[in-house]
Amino acid sequence: MRTRRLGSTGLWVSELGFGCASWWGKAAFDERQAAALVHEAIAGGVSLFDTGAAYSEGQAEPRLGRALKGRDTSDLIIATKVGTWFEGGRIVRDMSPVAVVASAERSLLRLGLDRLDILQLHGPAVAELTDDLLTALTELKTRGLVRAVGVNSFDPEVIAHAITLTPIDVVMVDYNVLRPEREALIGRARAWGKGVLAGMPLAMGHTRPIMARLKAPRDLWYAARGVVRHGEEMRLGARFRFLHDLEGFTGAQAALGFVLENPDVSAAVFGTTRIAHLRENLAASGRAYPAAVMARIRAAQM
């Protein structure tokens, strides 16, 4: 597994990160299988694990904490998110400094950690990135509770503003074969010295026909979410069916390879609930990516 520098943070991360969210953290998914995925990822060289207080109905953070319990985490980079959390059967959103600090402290307890490597604001608005909030994030670093702070948003305007803010060290953006327009923004982020994490690098599986993805109840859940939230991406995905017919690459490896070809990306963070899929994805690290494949992807993006 190759590693990359995380902007100007002084941290290095595996170029593939494991996303601990969605079905992975739900009670319906066996916890032993969930933990086995984390352990397999570590064995495969993954050092970056990304989660959030609101993920999987609030169960993702504590589940990751249990999976890591008793293990040496000194070489791991654990990232979580604040500003949203799950409470009373719903997602609560509060970007006030007091709420963000309290959420970070809860995350430390739920993860069983003394320090968070990366703390990201989860979907803030530009107006919420106030001086008071930035000061509160900086104080968390001063207290030794956080090593780097960032912003996770799929709103380009938010990221464009966040990268100009000195206290922000990292940004997480949605970047994959369906969203090449993020590249200019990613380039600007790195020019400002920010680490860049690519979320949704597999394009949520939308490059495959929906029926080809339905193998278990969890797949129905993901498919339904895609229909409701990502209809346009599902339509665009049809242009990239060829990714699954390439010689020497699986579709997932080709999609990850596209993201990793961008030198301004520090890591591509994916999620999975299958060991075989995890191993398939990890094999994308360090692969030579044919120029002809990239050219075909660029043509499909036009």
Side-chain angles (χ1 to χ4, degrees):
M1 174 67 65
R2 291 182 176 177
T3 59
R4 300 189 183 195
R5 187 187 302 274
L6 188 65
S8 302
T9 65
L11 303 175
W12 287 76
V13 294
S14 54
E15 66 177 4
L16 293 173
F18 188 88
C20 300
S22 300
W23 195 263
W24 177 89
K26 286 184 175 290
F29 183 54
D30 182 75
E31 180 149 339
R32 290 173 296 181
Q33 294 182 50
L37 285 160
V38 170
H39 302 158
E40 181 77 14
I42 294 172
V46 172
S47 65
L48 173 63
F49 291 86
D50 178 75
T51 190
Y55 289 160
S56 305
E57 299 178 341
Q59 296 306 307
E61 277 188 337
R63 174 168 280 188
L64 178 58
R66 291 189 293 270
L68 296 176
K69 187 175 182 180
R71 289 180 168 259
D72 180 6
T73 60
S74 59
D75 291 331
L76 301 182
I77 302 296
I78 309 300
T80 194
K81 302 179 183 73
V82 291
T84 63
W85 63 91
F86 195 82
E87 182 179 311
R90 65 186 182 90
I91 293 178
V92 178
R93 187 180 186 285
D94 189 340
M95 294 287 169
S96 68
V98 171
V100 163
V101 170
S103 183
E105 292 172 342
R106 288 195 302 271
S107 291
L108 284 166
L109 293 173
R110 288 153 66 92
L111 288 163
L113 300 174
D114 296 323
R115 180 179 63 183
L116 297 167
D117 298 295
I118 306 172
L119 182 71
Q120 302 175 82
L121 296 171
H122 192 200
V126 169
E128 291 172 319
L129 297 173
T130 63
D131 290 342
D132 287 345
L133 178 55
L134 296 175
T135 297
L137 293 172
T138 300
E139 288 175 351
L140 285 171
K141 293 171 69 174
T142 301
R143 292 168 59 190
L145 299 182
V146 174
R147 298 175 75 181
V149 298
V151 168
N152 169 213
S153 176
F154 297 156
D155 182 340
E157 291 185 7
V158 172
I159 296 298
H161 178 66
I163 63 178
T164 68
L165 303 175
T166 301
I168 300 301
D169 305 301
V170 181
V171 292
M172 188 173 195
V173 302
D174 49 339
Y175 177 50
N176 52 56
V177 294
L178 306 184
R179 298 184 180 176
E181 67 275 10
R182 298 292 189 257
E183 289 166 2
L185 187 60
I186 290 170
R188 291 204 302 274
R190 284 304 301 270
W192 280 85
K194 312 302 180 183
V196 178
L197 304 179
M200 300 196 293
L202 294 172
M204 300 157 286
H206 295 329
T207 58
R208 296 178 63 198
I210 191 168
M211 294 306 296
R213 293 182 266 156
L214 303 181
K215 299 178 181 179
R218 75 194 77 164
D219 302 319
L220 291 171
W221 182 83
Y222 279 112
R225 187 178 68 164
V227 170
V228 172
R229 299 184 183 179
H230 305 288
E232 179 59 24
E233 286 86 349
M234 293 184 72
R235 288 186 288 274
L236 284 174
R239 300 181 187 176
F240 298 88
R241 298 282 190 258
F242 66 88
L243 293 177
H244 302 274
D245 299 317
L246 298 174
E247 183 177 352
F249 287 85
T250 67
Q253 290 166 352
L256 288 170
F258 169 81
V259 174
L260 295 179
E261 279 288 293
N262 189 328
D264 292 331
V265 170
S266 301
V269 180
F270 66 85
T272 185
T273 55
R274 293 185 173 88
I275 289 287
H277 187 220
L278 171 64
R279 292 171 178 166
E280 173 190 350
N281 291 350
L282 297 188
S285 177
R287 296 283 299 276
Y289 203 68
V293 175
M294 178 63 80
R296 193 170 177 185
I297 289 173
R298 290 302 188 194
Q301 289 171 337
M302 293 181 179

